Amino acid sequence: MDQTTTRNFCIIAHIDHGKSTLADRLIELTGAMRREEIRDQVMDSMDLERERGITIKAKAIRLTYKSSDGTSYKLNLIDTPGHVDFTYEVSRTIAACEGAVLVVDATQGIQAQTLANVYLAMEHNLEIIPVLNKIDMVAAEPERVLAEIESVLGYGAESVLLISAKTGQGVPDLLEQIVRRVPHPKGNPDLPLRALIFDSHYDPYKGVIAYLRITDGHVDKGTKLRLMGQGTLIDVIEVGYFAPDPKPVDSLAAGDVGYIATGLKNVKECSVGDTVTWAVDGASEPLLGYRPPKPMVFAGIYPTEAEDYLELREAMEKLNLNDASLTYEQETSPLLGHGFRCGFLGLLHLDIVCERLEREFNLSLVVTAPGVSYYVTKTNGQKLTVINPTELPGPTDIEKLEEPWVSITVITPSKFIGPLMELTMECGGVSKHMEYLGQAKSLGELGQRVQLTYEMPLRAMQNLRMQQERQ
């Protein structure tokens, strides 16, 4: 297997900067789907994603591209979410790639998740290809945004590709840059199998479908595998890749991105982030995975009818396989009965999970007000993590009460600096840094972007977001 013609890359950006539209153009230009088959947001398979115009789950697809010199390349593309609540999806994707296409909106410029995703890619030493999207729009300001990119990210204007994912302008040049600049995989096909599980979903007929990035060795249909972290044994009943529909093949080799059908019915036996190897003569050292998700917001989820508790438990287990960033534990309320205390990455994540439970599993739910976790040190020295307010000890038993703080970065036009500073101060925020992005054309220019860095209590930030949503 020649890995020199394989490229594994992802598309990262802030929400609504054109990732899914760019993926559509790449699919069209490489001929993975006929023009009449392509619809908007091909990679977004859930109705919820299409209705809201956002990407929730990372999607993988294999493309075939013939470069200008006649070489045929295999491109494994993974489209990622852009909202901050789904950063964990992005982190898992980045661990499976060698390169990333960073999309910046020419009408909006650099925004918060743009920076967060760039830092994630840099931590994993990915080759980053910056592109400026939506240059065909009347409101586009390419010169201003290029100055922001150079000032904040350090990429000169000559290294940034100007494209329009909607019209296809500049996208062929992007394909050429991907095959030239993104490094090819460097795994050893002769070593024992090592493959990273970077995503998964549950199929009622094939069991757990694990998405793999093969680093060393190969995996064949019918092979017996072992998860190095959990020790779970797997009989592979199907091997394949996405194009964009599942395409079964006999085997996947080092450098490939694809999937295996495990037949597992217990969703807890196959964890995202684990390393797969052969059950016999397998590898001894697992791959370096990625940091587990850290819940930021907690809420209780209960069935409206008490007899639906078992259905809710099964639904939570299956949804957790599709969304590894969701954490939950059983909880009992004197008013609401049996349910679950769940941890989410943010308020949008909470909203999406509840809507998926209701839609996909036909459940009626009661959701408590979201809160954050507190760390309590009692007078007797005992330390507690309190998520449910009912578990908080009495005031006389508390020696120290700690709450989580967050570091936030706000990027705003300069004319909004005053109101934003006032708002963050009201929320208990502490100013840490302020920086002007790019160069103003004149001292009176109101459109110049400013980056504000604050530290504030997580509860205050959460309450602020809830107020904005009500408005």
Side-chain angles (χ1 to χ4, degrees), residues 137-427:
M137 298 187 68
V138 176
E141 300 178 277
E143 292 183 2
R144 176 183 66 81
V145 179
L146 284 172
E148 284 184 9
I149 292 174
E150 183 169 6
S151 173
V152 179
L153 303 180
Y155 296 101
E158 69 282 354
S159 65
V160 181
L161 300 178
L162 305 183
I163 70 167
S164 169
K166 184 176 181 180
T167 65
Q169 178 184 351
V171 180
D173 292 337
L174 173 59
L175 280 167
E176 285 292 324
Q177 290 299 314
I178 289 171
V179 299
R180 291 176 185 174
R181 294 171 58 178
V182 175
H184 63 79
K186 297 178 174 64
N188 189 336
D190 298 322
L191 290 177
L193 170 68
R194 290 198 304 169
L196 179 68
I197 302 177
F198 67 89
D199 208 345
S200 60
H201 75 269
Y202 182 80
D203 184 279
Y205 302 103
K206 300 175 184 177
V208 178
I209 307 294
Y211 298 23
L212 303 177
R213 157 63 197 272
I214 313 295
T215 299
D216 298 317
H218 58 89
V219 57
D220 305 321
K221 180 180 178 180
T223 305
K224 198 173 190 65
L225 305 180
R226 174 174 56 89
L227 270 64
M228 299 184 70
Q230 295 178 278
T232 305
L233 295 178
I234 298 172
D235 289 311
V236 180
I237 60 177
E238 184 176 301
V239 178
Y241 61 90
F242 298 97
D245 297 323
K247 300 290 184 183
V249 294
D250 292 333
S251 66
L252 294 172
D256 283 342
V257 173
Y259 70 89
I260 58 172
T262 66
L264 296 173
K265 299 301 181 184
N266 187 343
V267 297
K268 297 181 180 180
E269 293 180 340
C270 184
S271 295
V272 170
D274 209 339
T275 300
V276 178
T277 188
W278 296 326
V280 179
D281 297 328
S284 57
E285 292 292 330
L287 295 168
L288 180 63
Y290 31 77
R291 291 190 295 268
K294 184 178 182 180
M296 304 297 289
V297 174
F298 297 87
I301 297 181
Y302 299 84
T304 303
E305 302 294 335
E307 57 267 23
D308 292 337
Y309 169 73
L310 293 179
E311 293 183 19
L312 175 59
R313 184 176 67 181
E314 183 179 355
M316 293 292 293
E317 290 177 349
K318 291 181 179 179
L319 186 60
N320 187 229
L321 179 65
N322 293 318
D323 183 358
S325 57
L326 170 66
T327 61
Y328 64 94
E329 60 181 18
Q330 186 177 345
E331 180 180 64
T332 302
S333 166
L335 295 177
L336 301 174
H338 295 291
F340 295 92
R341 192 71 179 175
C342 304
F344 306 92
L345 300 182
L347 295 179
L348 177 63
H349 187 209
L350 164 63
D351 186 25
I352 293 297
V353 167
C354 293
E355 192 160 349
R356 290 187 67 184
L357 286 170
E358 292 176 338
R359 283 191 183 198
E360 298 176 19
F361 301 97
N362 196 29
L363 293 169
S364 178
L365 304 174
V366 176
V367 183
T368 65
V372 299
S373 59
Y374 290 83
Y375 302 98
V376 179
T377 302
K378 301 178 68 175
T379 53
N380 62 5
Q382 182 183 6
K383 294 185 178 181
L384 303 174
T385 300
V386 177
I387 298 174
N388 193 326
T390 61
E391 299 173 353
L392 190 67
T396 57
D397 296 326
I398 298 177
E399 178 181 326
K400 183 169 61 173
L401 180 63
E402 300 172 276
E403 64 173 333
W405 277 55
V406 293
S407 176
I408 65 170
T409 301
V410 181
I411 298 176
T412 177
S414 57
K415 62 181 179 180
F416 298 126
I417 291 179
L420 271 171
M421 284 184 169
E422 183 178 348
L423 181 61
T424 50
M425 293 293 287
E426 290 176 358
C427 294

Side-chain angles (χ1 to χ4, degrees), residues 56-77:
I56 297 172
K57 286 284 291 178
K59 307 295 189 308
I61 185 173
R62 180 183 291 188
L63 308 173
T64 302
Y65 172 67
K66 182 172 286 189
S67 67
S68 56
D69 62 4
T71 305
S72 183
Y73 289 89
K74 179 171 62 180
L75 309 181
N76 292 310
L77 160 66

